[in-house]
Amino acid sequence: MDSDLSPQDKKDLDKFIKFFALKTVQVIVQARLGEKICTRSSSSPTGSDWFNLAIKDIPEVTHEAKKALAGQLPGIGRSMCVEISLKTCDKDIKVSYTVYNRLSVLLKSLLAITRVTPAYKLSRKQGHDYVILYRIYFGEVQLSGLGEGFQTVRVGVVGTPVGTVTLSCAYRTNLAFMSNRQFERSAPIMGIIVDHFVDPPCSSQRPANMGQPCNYRAPDEEDGGTFAGVQDSQEVCTTSFSTSPPSQVLHAGKEGGVVLVPAQPPHGADAHITVEHAPNTPSSSGDDDGLSQSAEGRRDEGRRSVSPADPVESLSAFTRKVGAFVNKPSTQVSNILTSLDLPFAAFAPRGLDSEENDPMVQPPDSPPCPSPLQASLHSQGSEGSGQQDDFVMVDFRPAFSKDDLLPMDLGTFYREFQNPPQLASLSLHISSQSMADDLDSLPEKLRVYEKNIDEFDAFVDMLQ
Amino acid sequence: MNCRSEVLEVTVEARQVEEAMLALLHTILLHRSTGKFHYKKEGTYSIGTVGTLDFDCDFIDFTFVRVSSEELDRVIRKAVSEFKDALSNSGSDGMGQISLEFYQKKKSRWPFSDECIPWEVWSIKVNVVNLANEQERQICREKVGEKLGEKVINVVEVINRHEYLPKMPTQSEVDNVFDTSLKDVQPYLYKITYQITDSLGTSVSTTMRRLIKDTLAL
């Protein structure tokens, strides 16, 4: 069917698909940062608001996505997948405004859906116990990490002249976490991916399939240089549309943007209604390049090989074949694993910048359990005992509570208060500050006490 | 043309009505709004940008995405608030329905007024329950959050079937298709109506409205 598409049309469609892929990755990762997103509507368009949606571009994420794309586009047989993990990790359609508009609606749907899956709530609560990671890869969607009974949601489809873009999400529903078997399972996964790395990972590095943290921090100045490449290839999106008939071919605008001609003559026919799916062309080739994160330069001093975080979500951005590419979220709680020398260290949560603090190497102390019978979701103690991924989720039945009428109150209480936010006064720099103050005021206090030593003696005598 | 009609049904507690309605109405409007059109010479136009905002509900364990437009939010909140008041004052079993209708205007000759032709109608049926204790309320918080998530997925599935959408209008026709009154975004022309079902199960206001419509339809 490519023969029916003019070179300019093909070029434009490729551009749409490329930016759709980049924006999809941004939406998915931003939905898992743990923060609420707010962007402004603007009545005057700028060249960078693709699909007429204000979606911020986080430079690191763009960099990762472009790296994963590596100059190619998702195609038939080459789905692009974004994996979210939790870690303690036709007929012919003219390339026209119709396609652009529909891609825009699809992105809006993705915005809505990413707040609905269970991973969203987990990502809002991430921080001291776990972090959410993301991984972008190409090729066959890996659903095995999602456990049994995972659900699939189809976000939507958009037909284009060369294929159908399908966006779907598969998410884990079973929150019983996997056991130590993860260790064995990680090896073959690593084995498959190793081929695609630029720098072969050594065993001391963090397994590549763990992905990047979804924890955005504005890059420091020295990090700004790393992403200079992102700015260079910024392309301008379409800002002008036309109400003229569709017989006019797409042509590039002067500033490098594209002037699109919407598929509607000013009179009569409704081009919007007809959605014609391109015929199911066989895959162009057998090559399934499963691109995933490169583990270049990452070192984990003395860290034992750990199992990767179980995938929480797998959001397959899109594929050009007829069929879904699946985003699957898989949730799995594991200890926080951050390496000092991550290339995108800006993403790493604060405070975990020395090996002493690395919970993987030195597991946190087991917090006092409210009852010896529980293995609760939030009890980090069981994780810290050296088996990083030994999480078992059982029903929380508090001891000494009645079984029938109001079993929940005590349980709810426990659950809620087992994971309280860190007290401000206990946070490191404030406590060190007050400690310094205390130390400074000590000599003064001692002087006062010595002056009043007689009074104190009299007081003590009185007590005896 | 046949008007596409979708019905969503939710069961909530009294204090959750407002946020549940906002969540669903805003999700639909997010998909049915574009940026502002700016028409230029030679029949071309540019489209503004739609910003989005995450909104956390207070009474429901749920977060939804809405269009980043305070004006639009005000309009929707006002409608939902009226619906909520009507629901609580009705003395009925707490059943009602709020409808979001997208329509196109078709100019008619004088003396007939413009015709409003709906092309998509979303009806959200609400069933209000009263809960006895705090524990039940807590469960309800989470359950309603899950249910709303399912409804959002339903909305997305319907919208992405790509059935009829009005075609992009020329400058002279834009007010027949879009609501151009807002400063920052441009939803399709819509209207929000509601009706309360009284305890007999019949809807008083619908009956009245039907009578009036039939009379005027000539």
Side-chain angles (χ1 to χ4, degrees):
Chain A
M1 296 303 144
D2 280 0
S3 56
D4 291 337
L5 212 55
S6 76
Q8 183 58 45
D9 281 356
K10 177 98 180 43
K11 194 162 140 244
D12 290 329
L13 183 64
D14 284 348
K15 191 149 76 137
F16 292 172
I17 300 288
K18 173 181 160 195
F19 279 94
F20 182 74
L22 294 175
K23 286 295 179 182
T24 302
V25 174
Q26 290 286 350
V27 167
I28 294 167
V29 173
Q30 286 176 26
R32 297 288 172 263
L33 289 179
E35 301 160 357
K36 291 197 322 188
I37 304 293
C38 177
T39 57
R40 308 192 86 178
S41 304
S42 145
S43 67
S44 345
T46 66
S48 58
D49 290 332
W50 276 91
F51 306 103
N52 309 122
L53 275 175
I55 300 173
K56 215 168 60 168
D57 281 329
I58 299 180
E60 292 91 335
V61 175
T62 309
H63 186 82
E64 281 300 315
K66 284 193 170 166
K67 209 169 61 166
L69 282 174
Q72 59 169 320
L73 288 178
I76 296 172
R78 283 194 324 267
S79 310
M80 177 170 142
C81 311
V82 180
E83 182 185 273
I84 299 284
S85 55
L86 190 146
K87 182 183 208 167
T88 12
C89 317
D90 181 347
K91 287 181 197 174
D92 303 330
I93 297 179
K94 288 211 188 313
V95 177
S96 65
Y97 180 61
T98 316
V99 172
Y100 192 79
N101 203 22
R102 289 204 176 126
L103 289 174
S104 172
V105 172
L106 195 54
L107 270 180
K108 288 176 187 164
S109 298
L110 183 65
L111 278 165
I113 294 285
T114 44
R115 275 50 170 184
V116 159
T117 54
Y120 180 71
K121 292 203 188 107
L122 287 169
S123 67
R124 288 288 295 267
K125 293 191 199 132
Q126 69 180 302
H128 41 278
D129 288 333
Y130 59 85
V131 285
I132 300 281
L133 309 172
Y134 73 96
R135 176 169 80 95
I136 309 170
Y137 61 92
F138 270 71
E140 280 305 309
V141 181
Q142 292 159 28
L143 290 168
S144 53
L146 291 180
E148 285 179 14
F150 64 88
Q151 302 265 25
T152 309
V153 173
R154 195 155 90 149
V155 181
V157 289
V158 172
T160 74
V162 296
T164 304
V165 173
T166 309
L167 186 55
S168 49
C169 168
Y171 57 95
R172 170 186 278 266
T173 52
N174 174 18
L175 293 178
F177 300 124
M178 297 183 227
S179 66
N180 257 344
R181 278 175 285 136
Q182 273 303 304
F183 273 114
E184 291 89 332
R185 293 214 341 215
S186 69
I189 297 175
M190 277 198 70
I192 293 169
I193 294 176
V194 140
D195 297 331
H196 301 290
F197 289 141
V198 174
D199 297 317
C202 41
S203 58
S204 60
Q205 289 175 353
R206 178 150 72 101
N209 54 346
M210 281 214 254
Q212 304 293 337
C214 285
N215 211 324
Y216 176 60
R217 208 176 78 193
D220 302 330
E221 283 176 10
E222 60 257 34
D223 289 345
T226 326
F227 307 116
V230 168
Q231 312 301 329
D232 297 340
S233 55
Q234 198 96 31
E235 290 182 58
V236 179
C237 70
T238 309
T239 53
S240 255
F241 302 86
S242 168
T243 52
S244 328
S247 52
Q248 280 178 279
V249 187
L250 294 164
H251 55 278
K254 293 198 177 75
E255 310 85 36
V258 172
V259 175
L260 276 185
V261 179
Q264 41 185 339
H267 56 276
D270 249 11
H272 278 292
I273 304 177
T274 54
V275 180
E276 292 159 302
H277 289 262
N280 194 356
T281 57
S283 339
S284 46
S285 72
D287 53 89
D288 252 353
D289 298 347
L291 285 175
S292 70
Q293 303 295 330
S294 161
E296 66 220 2
R298 270 182 249 148
R299 314 210 109 262
D300 254 359
E301 292 110 357
R303 180 179 304 169
R304 348 163 221 183
S305 74
V306 294
S307 67
D310 275 339
V312 175
E313 261 182 342
S314 194
L315 289 153
S316 334
F318 57 100
T319 175
R320 289 231 201 141
K321 65 183 172 195
V322 175
F325 66 84
V326 178
N327 290 336
K328 1 173 207 180
S330 51
T331 39
Q332 190 165 6
V333 176
S334 63
N335 281 325
I336 299 172
L337 275 175
T338 53
S339 165
L340 297 182
D341 293 333
L342 279 175
F344 306 106
F347 268 132
R350 281 180 198 270
L352 292 173
D353 47 12
S354 75
E355 206 193 0
E356 294 97 74
N357 292 340
D358 188 346
M360 284 312 300
V361 176
Q362 274 149 23
D365 291 334
S366 159
C369 255
S371 154
L373 301 173
Q374 317 318 324
S376 127
L377 169 63
H378 299 295
S379 165
Q380 297 299 313
S382 53
E383 303 162 5
S385 49
Q387 300 159 3
Q388 295 89 348
D389 295 318
D390 200 3
F391 301 117
V392 177
M393 179 81 158
V394 302
D395 272 342
F396 191 51
R397 257 185 240 116
F400 311 119
S401 76
K402 277 200 287 251
D403 220 6
D404 42 0
L405 279 181
L406 296 174
M408 297 305 236
D409 282 338
L410 192 58
T412 323
F413 177 81
Y414 276 151
R415 231 179 276 126
E416 273 177 34
F417 290 97
Q418 255 176 350
N419 217 12
Q422 184 102 42
L423 277 181
S425 56
L426 289 182
S427 73
L428 208 55
H429 51 276
I430 294 183
S431 64
S432 62
Q433 231 174 18
S434 61
M435 174 96 124
D437 289 339
D438 286 341
L439 285 173
D440 287 338
S441 63
L442 260 181
E444 180 61 45
K445 285 191 187 152
L446 280 174
R447 240 176 287 139
V448 171
Y449 297 151
E450 275 184 34
K451 219 166 34 148
N452 299 333
I453 202 166
D454 294 332
E455 272 182 44
F456 291 134
D457 285 345
F459 179 69
V460 169
D461 290 339
M462 191 179 66
L463 288 174
Q464 282 170 351
Chain B
M1 110 237 353
N2 285 328
C3 171
R4 179 163 74 241
S5 173
E6 302 293 334
V7 180
L8 305 164
E9 211 162 322
V10 285
T11 301
V12 294
E13 228 197 325
R15 62 184 184 167
Q16 294 172 324
V17 168
E18 187 159 3
E19 285 179 338
M21 295 302 103
L22 284 174
L24 295 175
L25 292 174
H26 269 303
T27 299
I28 299 167
L29 276 166
L30 169 69
H31 291 84
R32 293 284 179 247
S33 301
T34 74
K36 293 284 290 178
F37 283 15
H38 295 282
Y39 286 93
K40 299 184 283 217
K41 288 183 278 210
E42 300 138 21
T44 61
Y45 60 99
S46 63
I47 307 186
T49 305
V50 173
T52 60
L53 187 140
D54 289 343
F55 184 84
D56 290 336
C57 297
D58 291 327
F59 298 111
I60 312 175
D61 207 2
F62 190 65
T63 301
F64 63 90
V65 181
R66 68 167 174 87
V67 171
S68 190
S69 164
E70 293 312 314
E71 277 181 82
L72 183 64
D73 189 39
R74 266 200 297 273
V75 171
I76 305 299
R77 276 182 186 273
K78 183 156 166 286
V80 167
S81 171
E82 281 175 20
F83 172 65
K84 189 183 78 162
D85 292 340
L87 204 56
S88 54
N89 295 337
S90 67
S92 71
D93 295 346
M95 277 177 39
Q97 176 176 297
I98 191 166
S99 299
L100 173 61
E101 178 186 300
F102 292 101
Y103 64 95
Q104 262 181 281
K105 266 201 273 203
K106 191 165 147 200
K107 293 255 186 270
S108 313
R109 289 195 206 167
W110 186 89
F112 302 106
S113 60
D114 294 341
E115 235 182 303
C116 291
I117 307 174
W119 52 271
E120 188 174 78
V121 178
W122 297 85
S123 301
I124 307 172
K125 291 201 169 127
V126 180
N127 196 10
V128 180
V129 294
N130 287 317
L131 298 176
N133 63 44
E134 199 50 46
Q135 166 230 335
E136 281 182 30
R137 284 201 193 99
Q138 183 60 31
I139 298 177
C140 186
R141 238 185 103 90
E142 291 166 11
K143 282 267 175 314
V144 171
E146 284 170 19
K147 278 282 171 226
L148 280 180
E150 287 171 26
K151 298 301 162 194
V152 165
I153 293 175
N154 289 353
V155 166
V156 160
E157 281 171 351
V158 167
I159 284 181
N160 278 280
R161 282 188 223 144
H162 296 310
E163 289 164 15
Y164 174 73
L165 272 183
K167 60 181 190 281
M168 288 300 147
T170 55
Q171 186 165 15
S172 53
E173 301 273 301
V174 71
D175 286 312
N176 293 342
V177 176
F178 286 103
D179 175 359
T180 51
S181 64
L182 303 171
K183 274 201 316 281
D184 43 11
V185 291
Q186 191 171 286
Y188 281 99
L189 277 174
Y190 68 94
K191 61 165 93 111
I192 300 181
T193 54
Y194 61 85
Q195 55 206 52
I196 311 294
T197 322
D198 64 19
S199 44
L200 294 175
T202 57
S203 171
V204 177
S205 49
T206 330
T207 320
M208 281 310 296
R209 206 176 296 127
R210 214 180 304 132
L211 273 173
I212 295 168
K213 253 199 197 150
D214 290 344
T215 321
L216 293 176
L218 301 164

